[in-house]
Amino acid sequence: MSFKKKNGQAPAKKDFTKLKTPHTYAIIFFVVIVCWLLTYLIPAGKFSTHTIEYTDADGGTATRTVLMADTFRYYYNLNTDFVAGALEEISQDQAVMEEWEVDPEALAALMETDSSAWTQEDLDAVGISDDEMYSRYGEEFYDTSKKLHKTAGVWGTEDFGGFGFMNYVFEGLVTGDRSGSAVGLCALILVIGGSFGIIMKTGAIDAGIYAFIRKTKGLERLAIPLFFILFSLGGATFGMAEECIPFAMIMVPFVIALGYDSIVAVTVTYVASQVGNAVSWMSPFSVAVAQGIAGVPVLSGATFRLTMWVVVTLASAAFLMVYAERVRKNPQHSVVYAGDAYFRDRMVSVTDEEREFNLGHKLILLEMLAVLIWIVWGVTQKGFYIPEIASQFFVMGFVAGVIAIIFKLNGMTINGMASAFQGGVADIAGTAMVVGMAKGILLVLGGSDADVYSTLNTILYVIGNALEGIPSFIGAWFMYIFQSLFNLVVTSNSGQAALTMPIMAPLADLVGVSRQIAVLAYQLGAGFVDAFTPVSASLIGVLGVARIDWGTWAKFQIKMQAFFFLMGTIFIAIAVAMNFQ
């Protein structure tokens, strides 16, 4: 088949490389719509949960609430006739009443009402939970004739009409608390943005970059693989993720000044940390938690994982250098060349006087180094997290501003400090908004709690069942694929472990591979895909710093994800072949 020429000329071909990338906000909204439609197609389900104890990475005893894989049930209405008889029985069993902490008067009042209208909310009000009824009666107390869906309305709030998907931005932003996503992480991003607004105003980072370039002429290319290895080590040892956001604020202008682009800067910081996390032998937030839940000795298999870390880190750094050198030789080939103009123009506009690396600049950079060391020490040794990290970065920005006032850097004043902080917050506010939006995706699917009816729990259960009875390598490989796909929605490493390992660990026994391989499939999937998924608050934070839309980032990262997936598949195959224990 051939196409006819018009006026003797071949039809013009469309250049798909110039198609406009959708805005990150638009991409997330589209994902929200898709997830909302899924809730109409897939009925909701839940698991019962229990608390397990395991030995943590420090040798102490830790606890974790995990689901019980054999307790999954779909969302049903109550079999009210059966429930009426069950409540009569329960009301006469004093031991059960005390164990379940049932309110006798409330129960008696409920039993006086029309049982045909009872719902689980009525039982909850008297102290009888769904899990307690299921543990005693199984599915008998449900009307199993119809599986129910849990679908959000179009508009609504928790107080008026229930959560509506069009409210995903606000609901996502206010999810969590000061120590987690999204509230805590949004606040951390804003504080870091303000602090670095002050630091950038001092000119210390720009002056330091020019001083480094002058003194290391010809050695610039060594900096990229070296930093990649260092950030990978951070991910492998203490689960570095959110901590990459402030580092990116330093690395982006630095890497661009070396002749590369902001994609290289994000890869050498955040992606490197997630590579380390994916192949970690000791991360307390991923491999240690997963091993504890799976019943595998914590930090066992370290020799295999340490070898894997060396191989994967060096291979990933080499992959990056191929791209980085192509950009360095012809910067205009970069897909973010236009966006990086912000950083290039700022460097070009720096005067010779501002490029001078004086004592004030040196003191600010030394103070920044001291605070960053303090943060790493606090995270690894004292368990510092979002509130403590935010406090330390605020101190770093404030002290840098004071030093700038003393040494009269860039005409810094008290009002100038305040304006610079405000400008830094404004620059990063859009990123904080994306963090809340991404969290809204999970809310539309019903949340990530195993003991709450949701579409996500049903997806987890169905895929787990589908992997039973297949060949060992195929089973292990599909576990890896499943964990990778699951990470597109749930990006918390410990949260993903709590949701998936209670199912994947016994499934490994059925498939014929060790539970250690099930843990390996989890950590590879959870780590690598964190560098790609738009739901990752940390990734979106780093991209915001670099002024890269997620769609633009995805065009580059999808190739690296294919490379990661190939390496992950190879190591899964090796682990199965050697019966990794």
Side-chain angles (χ1 to χ4, degrees):
M1 180 179 179
S2 62
F3 293 96
K4 294 182 178 179
K5 295 181 180 181
K6 185 176 181 179
N7 298 326
Q9 296 182 345
K13 293 183 179 179
K14 189 171 183 178
D15 186 357
F16 288 99
T17 63
K18 295 183 179 180
L19 291 176
K20 186 172 179 61
T21 303
H23 194 284
T24 302
Y25 289 7
I27 292 171
I28 292 177
F29 182 74
F30 174 75
V31 173
V32 166
I33 295 293
V34 171
C35 290
W36 184 62
L37 294 176
L38 279 178
T39 65
Y40 282 96
L41 302 174
I42 302 172
K46 66 170 285 187
F47 298 86
S48 295
T49 59
H50 65 151
T51 301
I52 64 168
E53 291 186 351
Y54 65 94
T55 304
D56 63 18
D58 297 324
T61 299
T63 61
R64 187 82 193 179
T65 299
V66 300
L67 59 83
M68 294 184 282
D70 59 350
T71 63
F72 177 83
R73 62 271 194 191
Y74 288 102
Y75 188 20
Y76 298 114
N77 288 317
L78 294 181
N79 180 345
T80 53
D81 290 338
F82 182 89
V83 170
L87 294 191
E88 184 68 37
E89 176 188 322
I90 292 169
S91 67
Q92 297 174 11
D93 191 330
Q94 191 61 33
V96 173
M97 293 281 286
E98 292 177 0
E99 180 185 352
W100 291 3
E101 299 181 352
V102 179
D103 184 337
E105 294 182 0
L107 177 59
L110 176 63
M111 293 172 64
E112 294 289 331
T113 63
D114 179 10
S115 63
S116 64
W118 289 350
T119 65
Q120 183 58 50
E121 287 73 18
D122 296 319
L123 301 187
D124 291 335
V126 302
I128 301 177
S129 71
D130 177 276
D131 288 348
E132 289 166 337
M133 289 290 284
Y134 182 79
S135 67
R136 186 177 178 89
Y137 300 108
E139 291 191 351
E140 286 187 272
F141 79 104
Y142 295 124
D143 174 5
T144 58
S145 61
K146 181 182 179 182
K147 296 173 184 175
L148 304 179
H149 296 253
K150 191 174 181 181
T151 302
V154 175
W155 182 90
T157 69
E158 290 297 327
D159 298 320
F160 293 92
F163 169 65
F165 85 90
M166 287 295 287
N167 202 27
Y168 75 98
V169 178
F170 174 81
E171 295 291 354
L173 283 169
V174 299
T175 299
D177 55 32
R178 64 196 298 269
S179 295
S181 181
V183 172
L185 190 55
C186 288
L188 172 67
I189 289 172
L190 294 176
V191 170
I192 289 175
S195 297
F196 270 89
I198 296 174
I199 291 168
M200 297 306 295
K201 175 67 175 176
T202 68
I205 290 180
D206 292 333
I209 289 172
Y210 288 116
F212 177 87
I213 293 174
R214 285 195 300 269
K215 293 183 181 297
T216 60
K217 202 67 178 175
L219 300 177
E220 299 94 337
R221 276 174 276 186
L222 296 177
I224 300 302
L226 176 60
F227 279 119
F228 193 99
I229 293 169
L230 289 175
F231 278 94
S232 177
L233 183 63
T237 53
F238 64 92
M240 190 177 198
E242 294 89 350
E243 297 84 355
C244 290
I245 298 173
F247 281 104
M249 289 186 167
I250 301 171
M251 292 297 295
V252 170
F254 171 71
V255 168
I256 291 174
L258 293 181
Y260 302 107
D261 65 5
S262 53
I263 284 179
V264 174
V266 172
T267 305
V268 86
T269 50
Y270 184 74
V271 176
S273 74
Q274 296 315 295
V275 166
N277 194 26
V279 293
S280 172
W281 66 95
M282 64 172 291
S283 172
F285 304 110
S286 57
V287 62
V289 173
Q291 287 179 324
I293 293 173
V296 175
V298 172
L299 302 190
S300 59
T303 301
F304 179 88
R305 287 187 171 86
L306 189 56
T307 303
M308 184 170 62
W309 176 78
V310 173
V311 172
V312 171
T313 297
L314 293 180
S316 301
F319 183 97
L320 171 63
M321 285 308 298
V322 172
Y323 170 82
E325 283 303 298
R326 192 159 61 241
V327 169
R328 190 181 66 84
K329 291 175 182 177
N330 192 341
Q332 294 187 11
H333 280 175
S334 169
V335 295
V336 291
Y337 181 77
D340 287 349
Y342 169 83
F343 299 101
R344 290 193 302 270
D345 292 346
R346 193 172 66 185
M347 287 185 286
V348 169
S349 66
V350 176
T351 64
D352 291 338
E353 180 182 350
E354 290 172 327
R355 294 187 186 193
E356 179 188 350
F357 193 41
N358 58 38
L359 179 59
H361 295 141
K362 294 175 183 177
L363 289 176
I364 290 173
L365 293 181
L366 285 173
E367 183 252 344
M368 288 175 62
L369 177 63
V371 172
L372 292 175
I373 293 173
W374 178 27
I375 290 172
V376 172
W377 171 82
V379 170
T380 57
Q381 302 299 316
K382 296 295 184 180
F384 288 176
Y385 198 42
I386 288 175
E388 294 76 22
I389 293 172
S391 173
Q392 291 155 345
F393 273 108
F394 183 82
V395 170
M396 182 173 75
F398 178 80
V399 172
V402 171
I403 293 173
I405 291 174
I406 294 173
F407 285 87
K408 300 179 180 178
L409 302 178
N410 278 359
M412 181 70 80
T413 63
I414 294 177
N415 282 345
M417 276 180 63
S419 296
F421 185 89
Q422 182 183 26
V425 170
D427 286 342
I428 207 72
T431 298
M433 182 66 71
V434 173
V435 170
M437 289 181 173
K439 193 71 175 179
I441 295 172
L442 197 57
L443 297 180
V444 170
L445 285 173
S448 60
D449 291 336
D451 61 349
V452 175
Y453 288 108
S454 71
T455 300
L456 189 62
N457 284 329
T458 302
I459 293 172
L460 178 63
Y461 169 74
V462 170
I463 294 179
N465 279 353
L467 296 181
E468 289 188 27
I470 56 180
S472 298
F473 168 70
I474 299 299
W477 188 54
F478 270 95
M479 283 184 186
Y480 172 39
I481 293 173
F482 167 70
Q483 294 286 10
S484 299
L485 295 174
F486 198 79
N487 191 252
L488 290 171
V489 180
V490 177
T491 59
S492 165
N493 285 328
S494 58
Q496 184 169 345
L499 283 170
T500 63
M501 289 316 300
I503 291 177
M504 294 295 124
L507 186 61
D509 302 336
L510 296 175
V511 171
V513 298
S514 69
R515 294 190 173 198
Q516 189 75 269
I517 293 175
V519 173
L520 182 65
Y522 148 77
Q523 66 177 118
L524 288 171
F528 287 148
V529 180
D530 250 357
F532 174 79
T533 173
V535 180
S536 171
S538 302
L539 171 63
I540 294 301
V542 174
L543 292 178
V545 166
R547 295 172 174 260
I548 303 174
D549 281 337
W550 181 83
T552 303
W553 168 252
K555 288 181 180 179
F556 161 78
Q557 183 56 210
I558 195 69
K559 299 174 185 176
M560 200 169 197
Q561 284 296 315
F563 181 66
F564 289 156
F565 184 74
L566 175 61
M567 288 193 292
T569 298
I570 291 171
F571 276 102
I572 290 289
I574 293 172
V576 172
M578 64 181 285
N579 192 24
F580 179 39
Q581 297 288 339

